[in-house]
Structures are given as structure tokens and as C-alpha cells.
């Protein structure tokens, strides 16, 4: 059996099969070896480059604690010390997620990280930031306490004043809970995945003052 | 102390500067984030190697 027979159509050759075309396209999304690189450019030896992955790590804890909360239900934390602990884990991982994300944003803003054909990476980051705010907001509405009632009452007035109150109702806790645990995490997850893939596709942005830094990247790898 | 004052009492302390109003807690958190940001820029990364021209040419 030849290699072609064993593995199908060789990569790079055009095929009428959408499976082959999709496979070829996926294999070209990220340069070979860059999905999980074991070496990075020398200029990445700085703490400021750590905040992107810290944000991702916090997001994983947010999702994990959120899944545990979904098992116990929204009122679990009112009646159980374990539920209260998991709820606090969820809250504080969100706090860290936002703190890390904003410091990551500051760092990328001041190094003009949209340079070098990285505009889409920047914009997916913007969308992830805005999506995170919406997801956190619906979380505050799902606390099942007076705080969530007060926040939803204030938000209703604010959202109606800017003309977007017709599309959803923040006073509807069932709708907001579903948005928080299903719709928005799904949308946010896709945006974050796109953001990470684009970072791996285009590489980490070099410092502004490094002459020919993109060439140095290849040297360091 | 009236009931209304009792309810309003734990609302927290706020800093007022013209149109800007921010709770002391939030101001402290933002301040800490700025400090962490500056530290991330100036604190050396562990195991950092000096990539001067001589090193790179090796």
C-alpha cells in the first residue's frame, strides 16, 4: 500500500472532496510547529507577556467553577457552605480574569499590538473584552438576591436609554441565566479560541523599537 | 438612627471629583492593577538571557 492510499489525497493537491479541502485549510491555519511552540522570541522574557496566558488560566477556573455551580443550581450558594465556596471561587476567578485581561490590554495597547497584520487579533481581543463584560453582567443578575434585583433595575433603565432594551429583558432572570450559562459563554469561547489561534498564526508582536524584530523571531526559534 | 440610614450605611465610601464618582474600593483595585502593570514592566523575568549582538551571532 502506498502512502497515498493509506493517507488519502496528498496535502497541497486540489481535491473535489470537501473533507480534504477542509483538512488542508485547517493544516494551514497555523504555521507548522506553532500551535504549541516550545521556544519563543527573546523579547518575550518579560512579565508583561505573561498576562495573556494568566487571563486564559483564570477563564478555565471561571468555566470550571461555573460548571460546578450549574450542578448545584443558582440558589445552591445560599444554603450550602460548599456551594458558597464554589460561588466565591467563581466570583474571585472572574475578578482575576478581568484584572489580568485589563493589564494584558494595557500592555498590548502601549506596544501597538495591532502592527504587522495583527488587526484581526486586536479586534477579536476587543470583542472578547466586550463579551466578557456582558457575561459578567448577566452573572451579577443571576445571584438570586437583592443585589441582582437592584442591578437589573438600574440596567433596565440604562439599556432602555440607549435603545437596546427591546432585544432582551434584564428583568427576566430566566432569560439572563440562560444567557449567562449557555449563550454568552459559547459566543465568548468561540471568540477567545479565534483570538488564541490568531496569536499563534501571526506570532507575538515584537517590541516597537526592535529593528527587524520579526527576523529575530526566526533566529530565536 | 433611622431605618433608612441603617440601610444606606454600608453602601461604602466614595471619592468625588466633579463628575467623577468612584468607590474607594474600586479606586484601590485600579491602583493595585497599575502597580502590577508597572512591576510587570520593570521586574526582571527569571532566567532572562541578555541577547546582545555577540550572543546572537554565536
Amino acid at each position: 500500500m502506498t502512502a497515498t492510499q493509506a493517507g488519502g489525497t496528498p496535502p497541497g493537491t486540489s481535491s473535489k472532496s470537501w473533507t480534504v479541502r477542509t483538512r488542508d485549510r485547517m493544516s494551514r491555519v497555523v504555521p507548522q510547529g506553532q500551535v504549541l511552540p516550545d521556544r519563543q522570541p527573546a523579547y518575550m522574557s518579560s512579565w508583561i507577556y505573561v498576562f495573556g496566558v494568566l487571563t486564559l488560566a483564570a477563564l478555565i477556573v471561571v468555566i470550571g467553577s461555573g460548571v460546578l455551580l450549574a450542578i448545584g443550581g443558582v440558589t445552591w450558594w445560599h444554603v450550602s457552605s460548599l456551594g458558597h465556596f464554589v460561588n466565591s471561587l467563581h466570583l474571585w476567578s472572574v475578578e482575576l480574569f478581568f484584572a489580568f485581561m485589563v493589564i494584558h490590554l494595557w500592555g498590548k495597547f502601549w506596544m501597538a499590538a495591532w502592527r504587522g497584520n495583527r488587526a484581526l487579533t486586536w479586534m477579536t481581543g476587543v470583542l472578547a473584552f466586550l463579551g466578557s463584560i456582558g457575561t459578567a453582567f448577566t452573572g451579577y443578575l443571576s445571584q438570586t438576591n437583592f443585589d441582582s434585583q437592584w442591578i437589573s433595575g438600574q440596567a433596565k433603565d440604562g439599556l432602555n436609554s440607549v435603545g437596546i432594551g427591546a432585544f432582551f429583558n434584564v428583568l427576566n432572570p430566566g432569560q439572563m441565566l440562560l444567557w449567562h450559562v449557555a449563550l454568552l459563554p459559547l459566543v465568548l469561547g468561540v471568540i477567545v479560541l479565534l483570538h488564541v489561534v490568531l496569536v499563534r498564526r501571526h506570532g507575538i508582536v515584537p517590541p516597537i523599537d526592535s529593528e527587524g524584530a520579526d527576523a529575530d523571531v526566526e533566529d530565536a526559534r | 438612627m433611622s431605618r433608612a440610614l441603617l440601610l444606606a450605611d454600608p453602601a461604602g465610601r466614595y471619592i468625588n471629583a466633579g463628575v467623577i464618582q468612584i468607590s474607594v474600593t474600586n479606586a484601590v483595585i485600579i491602583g493595585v492593577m497599575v502597580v502590577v502593570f508597572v512591576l510587570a514592566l520593570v521586574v526582571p523575568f527569571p532566567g532572562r538571557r541578555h541577547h546582545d549582538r555577540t550572543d546572537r551571532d554565536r
Side-chain angles (χ1 to χ4, degrees):
Chain A
M1 184 182 286
T2 64
T4 306
Q5 285 170 324
T9 309
T13 56
S14 61
S15 171
K16 288 182 178 175
S17 164
W18 68 267
T19 308
V20 174
R21 290 199 306 273
T22 306
R23 185 183 66 209
D24 286 351
R25 183 72 189 265
M26 287 176 72
S27 67
R28 290 197 303 270
V29 168
V30 175
Q32 198 171 12
Q34 293 306 307
V35 176
L36 283 174
D38 57 338
R39 300 194 68 193
Q40 291 288 1
Y43 54 76
M44 276 191 68
S45 296
S46 167
W47 283 108
I48 196 64
Y49 286 99
V50 174
F51 285 87
V53 79
L54 280 177
T55 309
L56 268 182
L59 180 62
I60 290 169
V61 179
V62 169
I63 293 170
S65 56
V67 168
L68 290 177
L69 280 176
I71 295 170
V74 282
T75 58
W76 183 34
W77 72 288
H78 293 302
V79 294
S80 157
S81 57
L82 178 61
H84 200 165
F85 172 76
V86 177
N87 189 76
S88 297
L89 201 62
H90 194 61
L91 168 70
W92 286 105
S93 55
V94 168
E95 303 278 359
L96 287 174
F97 170 72
F98 270 93
F100 292 149
M101 183 164 50
V102 170
I103 293 173
H104 176 64
L105 165 64
W106 289 343
K108 296 303 160 188
F109 177 79
W110 292 111
M111 65 177 75
W114 49 83
R115 288 173 295 129
N117 202 26
R118 294 179 177 87
L120 198 55
T121 314
W122 174 264
M123 287 314 298
T124 50
V126 170
L127 287 177
F129 182 52
L130 296 176
S132 301
I133 292 172
T135 312
F137 166 66
T138 52
Y140 280 115
L141 300 183
S142 304
Q143 296 174 94
T144 56
N145 59 10
F146 289 123
D147 196 23
S148 54
Q149 280 190 8
W150 190 86
I151 292 170
S152 59
Q154 299 296 308
K156 174 260 295 175
D157 292 338
L159 293 167
N160 284 342
S161 70
V162 292
I164 56 175
F167 302 103
F168 52 91
N169 182 9
V170 294
L171 294 176
N172 181 346
Q175 184 188 32
M176 290 301 104
L177 179 63
L178 279 175
W179 278 41
H180 182 67
V181 301
L183 183 64
L184 292 174
L186 186 65
V187 172
L188 190 61
V190 170
I191 295 170
V192 168
L193 186 66
L194 276 174
H195 187 68
V196 173
V197 167
L198 284 166
V199 169
R200 296 308 336 136
R201 181 180 172 88
H202 296 288
I204 306 293
V205 69
I208 289 174
D209 57 354
S210 61
E211 289 286 332
D214 280 325
D216 288 348
V217 173
E218 298 307 319
D219 289 346
R221 278 174 182 163
Chain B
M1 191 178 286
S2 72
R3 184 175 172 78
L5 276 177
L6 275 174
L7 287 172
D9 191 43
R13 286 180 297 158
Y14 283 77
I15 301 167
N16 290 291
V19 295
I20 297 170
Q21 177 179 285
I22 185 170
S23 72
V24 172
T25 310
N26 282 343
V28 167
I29 289 169
I30 292 169
V32 169
M33 284 170 62
V34 171
V35 168
V36 171
F37 176 67
V38 172
L39 286 175
L41 295 177
V42 299
V43 172
F45 196 76
R48 182 176 190 163
R49 291 191 298 131
H50 291 285
H51 278 262
D52 55 14
R53 182 167 291 279
T54 312
D55 192 12
R56 225 181 357 231
D57 289 346
R58 244 172 239 163

